[in-house]
Amino acid sequence: MKALKVIALPAVLFAGWWVLSAGSKDFYRPPLRTILVAFADTWFGARIADDVLPSLARLGAGYAVALVLGIAAGVVIGRHPAVRETVEPVLEFLRAVPPPVLVPILILVAGIGDLMKVLVIVSGCVWPILLNTVEGVRAVDGVLADTCAVYRVPPVRRMVLRAASPQIVTGARQALSIGVILMVISEMFAARSGLGFTVVQFQRGFQIPEMWSGVLLLGLIGVALAALFRLVERSVLRWYHGQRAAEKQH
Amino acid sequence: MLEVNGLRKVYDGHGRRVEALADLTFKLDDGEFVCLVGPSGCGKTTLLRCVAGLLRPTAGEVRVAGRLVTGPPDGLAVVFQEYGRSLFPWLRVHENVGLPLSGPRKPGLGKEALAAVGLAEARDAYPWQLSGGMQQRVAIARAIAFEPKVLLMDEPFAAVDAQTRADLEDLIREVWRRLGVTLLFVTHDIDEAVYLGQRVIVLSASPTTILDTLDVDLPAGRDQLTTRAAPRFTQLRGRVYTHIQQARTS
Ligand SMILES: Nc1ncnc2c1ncn2[C@@H]1O[C@H](COP(=O)(O)OP(=O)(O)OP(=O)(O)O)[C@@H](O)[C@H]1O
Ligand SMILES: [Mg+2]
């Protein structure tokens, strides 16, 4: 029943697209059938290894670096008010810079290779993770901190990271969608492979069904990553959702 | 074992200045069981937090085993008044009890302590799946399993029913005798203070000083029925009661 509800709307939209586009003669809006044929021809082959996987690998690397950096810096900033007061204005500024404008600068610094693209992803993903981690760490219950002090429990590893995990997960979720966007954008400048690059190539070459199939693939990747994220979240935050549900009953 | 000399604590901040503790001096011998009673808001929790090294006094000092307290001393355990918030919600009951422990005796100690507070069945539950009284017993089990030299308990039986309370009172006396722990026990309940302690310290309302210290010269083997019915018990509780009344009205 639940699965049915989840599937229903996408199925309707898909069917609608199929039917409405079926007789289309418009060059820029080909029938969905044509797009799907192009999808199979374009993506089930060498392109998986040449374009899709490298894109995903850069996303994975950038996202992982952003997680480590964001959480580590967030814990330090959240635990030390003096550090927070010092770095806050700088953080506000850096966070306000839209990551795509960093691309030309990063090209100067890091060239046009994988490093630049990973750095673009890091520069966008790190902020939501960092800021949410700071909030989570600041909100840690003082009684728990006292408990760690008295019972000699290592506070950061055993308490702070877990207590702040609901906020950290929120930041990580925001960062994931930013990461997908930046993965594509970083490949639209000065690139020779990747999903973003390929889509732009198709557009320039007037391979319109192929271009649409690339958009479709990016959407599917987004959905798959979100599902994967939910799976991880469910196991990491099981205690939190349980606690929330228990509190609501009272 | 535990010395409090000229202790004074003034809270000052957010436009409110509270002189919680005016001037307290007392001493607990090694292995002594002392109960603290005083009206609500008189600074009992403040005093325990100073003794545990979690709060810096405004003046005066605390010594545990001869050492000046500047942070939580070794071998000291606390059962916090906010027992629910002192448990780690992401850990199961037995993990909460076992977290501060290490070494080969860890599983045995945890199991024994949980059995002693009547929670052997709940070992795999999360704290938020338990009632308030059960959570309080988990916090007590954690303190017992820690085998402290000094144990501070802040109204540890506030959330349990009368029968469980009587059982836990007898459990604490038994643990105290078995471990030879030095015990400072805060309670609102005059009867409980007289029933449990070797000595009762009566605090005034804030700014807090010691109104009276009385030795409880009841036999060491205490029993809920006979001890509480003894004429000497009635006499002692009468004396404490009178002092507390005076503290309220003055
Ligand atoms: N962190 C704090 N900041 C400011 N004032 C505080 C703080 N903690 C306690 N106080 C004040 O100090 C006084 C003593 O508080 P404390 O919690 O020690 O009392 P208590 O005897 O434990 O009370 P109860 O029996 O209700 O638990 C109160 O007036 C309280 O408002
Ligand atoms: Mg208190």
Side-chain angles (χ1 to χ4, degrees):
Chain A
M1 193 56 213
K2 199 171 163 226
L4 206 69
K5 267 188 202 157
V6 173
I7 292 294
L9 186 59
V12 168
L13 290 175
F14 197 80
W17 186 4
W18 182 281
V19 171
L20 291 176
S21 69
S24 170
K25 296 277 177 294
D26 186 335
F27 180 72
Y28 295 107
R29 271 161 290 189
L32 180 53
R33 218 176 71 86
T34 318
I35 296 174
L36 290 182
V37 171
F39 188 97
D41 293 345
T42 310
W43 301 109
F44 297 155
R47 279 228 167 75
I48 290 188
D50 293 346
D51 293 306
V52 180
L53 292 183
S55 283
L56 290 178
R58 286 190 290 262
L59 173 62
Y63 188 64
V65 171
L67 271 179
V68 172
L69 268 183
I71 293 172
V75 168
V76 172
I77 296 171
R79 278 172 74 79
H80 304 286
V83 176
R84 186 165 65 246
E85 278 156 29
T86 316
V87 299
E88 205 148 54
V90 182
L91 289 185
E92 289 296 329
F93 175 78
L94 289 177
R95 187 174 68 111
V97 176
V101 309
L102 293 178
V103 173
I105 301 169
L106 288 173
I107 289 177
L108 291 181
V109 179
I112 58 168
D114 287 344
L115 180 64
M116 178 276 283
K117 297 183 189 98
V118 170
L119 287 179
V120 171
I121 293 169
V122 173
S123 69
C125 290
V126 76
W127 304 112
I129 298 170
L130 174 72
L131 297 174
N132 280 285
T133 304
V134 171
E135 284 316 304
V137 171
R138 285 182 64 184
V140 164
D141 194 319
V143 179
L144 275 188
D146 287 350
T147 303
C148 286
V150 165
Y151 287 98
R152 300 284 190 265
V153 174
V156 171
R157 194 159 45 90
R158 281 300 166 78
M159 192 270 290
V160 173
L161 286 177
R162 291 307 297 270
S165 59
Q167 286 91 340
I168 296 176
V169 166
T170 301
R173 191 187 306 109
Q174 294 168 5
L176 187 60
S177 37
I178 294 175
V180 174
I181 295 170
L182 291 178
M183 169 187 86
V184 177
I185 289 181
S186 70
E187 293 165 354
M188 289 181 162
F189 297 86
R192 263 170 265 103
S193 72
L195 274 165
F197 165 77
T198 313
V199 170
V200 171
Q201 279 301 102
F202 287 144
Q203 187 240 341
R204 290 190 182 138
F206 295 100
Q207 294 168 278
I208 301 303
E210 285 77 3
M211 180 196 84
W212 278 103
S213 77
V215 175
L216 211 56
L217 178 65
L218 278 167
L220 289 176
I221 287 174
V223 171
L225 288 177
L228 196 66
F229 190 91
R230 261 202 300 283
L231 217 63
V232 174
E233 170 180 351
R234 203 176 305 162
S235 79
V236 172
L237 293 188
R238 201 163 38 131
W239 64 271
Y240 178 69
H241 296 312
Q243 188 184 29
R244 289 272 302 262
E247 273 165 10
K248 261 185 207 152
Q249 281 169 13
H250 290 231
Chain B
M1 189 63 180
L2 198 166
E3 275 174 79
V4 174
N5 294 321
L7 193 72
R8 173 180 165 80
K9 177 69 197 180
V10 180
Y11 290 106
D12 203 355
H14 305 285
R16 180 170 176 266
R17 187 173 179 280
V18 183
E19 188 176 358
L21 304 175
D23 180 11
L24 292 181
T25 300
F26 62 89
K27 208 171 173 179
L28 267 66
D29 287 334
D30 200 359
E32 207 180 355
F33 192 158
V34 172
C35 292
L36 270 175
V37 290
S40 180
C42 78
K44 302 181 293 295
T45 299
T46 303
L47 169 60
L48 285 202
R49 285 171 52 83
C50 288
V51 171
L54 297 168
L55 192 65
R56 193 178 290 277
T58 309
E61 57 165 36
V62 176
R63 284 178 183 276
V64 170
R67 300 260 282 276
L68 187 68
V69 169
T70 50
D74 282 327
L76 177 140
V78 182
V79 176
F80 293 94
Q81 188 171 15
E82 305 90 344
Y83 53 91
R85 283 162 55 203
S86 82
L87 299 175
F88 298 90
W90 50 86
L91 297 181
R92 295 172 190 279
V93 163
H94 73 93
E95 294 166 325
N96 262 288
V97 173
L99 187 62
L101 309 179
S102 58
R105 292 177 61 219
K106 175 174 172 162
L109 283 173
K111 220 173 182 169
E112 264 174 49
L114 279 175
V117 298
L119 283 180
E121 299 302 313
R123 70 187 300 275
D124 286 326
Y126 286 100
W128 35 268
Q129 293 174 313
L130 306 179
S131 72
M134 291 164 94
Q135 292 175 11
Q136 204 157 37
R137 284 185 276 156
V138 176
I140 293 169
R142 177 171 63 189
I144 295 174
F146 194 62
E147 295 195 321
K149 296 256 184 320
V150 178
L151 177 56
L152 311 178
M153 304 183 92
D154 199 350
E155 301 190 27
F157 306 149
V160 298
D161 61 277
Q163 183 54 51
T164 311
R165 185 172 189 137
D167 291 346
L168 288 176
E169 284 169 1
D170 291 334
L171 170 75
I172 289 299
R173 285 214 32 113
E174 196 244 88
V175 167
W176 165 63
R177 299 233 298 239
R178 184 160 51 85
L179 297 181
V181 58
T182 306
L183 224 164
L184 187 56
F185 187 103
V186 166
T187 175
H188 270 134
D189 185 334
I190 299 165
D191 287 41
E192 183 170 85
V194 173
Y195 178 73
L196 285 176
Q198 294 176 298
R199 202 145 54 92
V200 177
I201 297 178
V202 186
L203 300 177
S204 70
S206 20
T208 305
T209 54
I210 293 177
L211 278 184
D212 188 20
T213 300
L214 69 163
D215 290 316
V216 179
D217 45 6
L218 294 166
R222 294 184 194 175
D223 172 273
Q224 293 286 352
L225 282 179
T226 52
T227 305
R228 285 178 191 266
R232 183 62 185 149
F233 181 87
T234 318
Q235 229 171 22
L236 286 166
R237 72 178 288 277
R239 189 169 141 195
V240 177
Y241 185 81
T242 316
H243 274 298
I244 295 222
Q245 282 303 85
Q246 279 170 5
R248 283 256 201 69
T249 50
S250 61

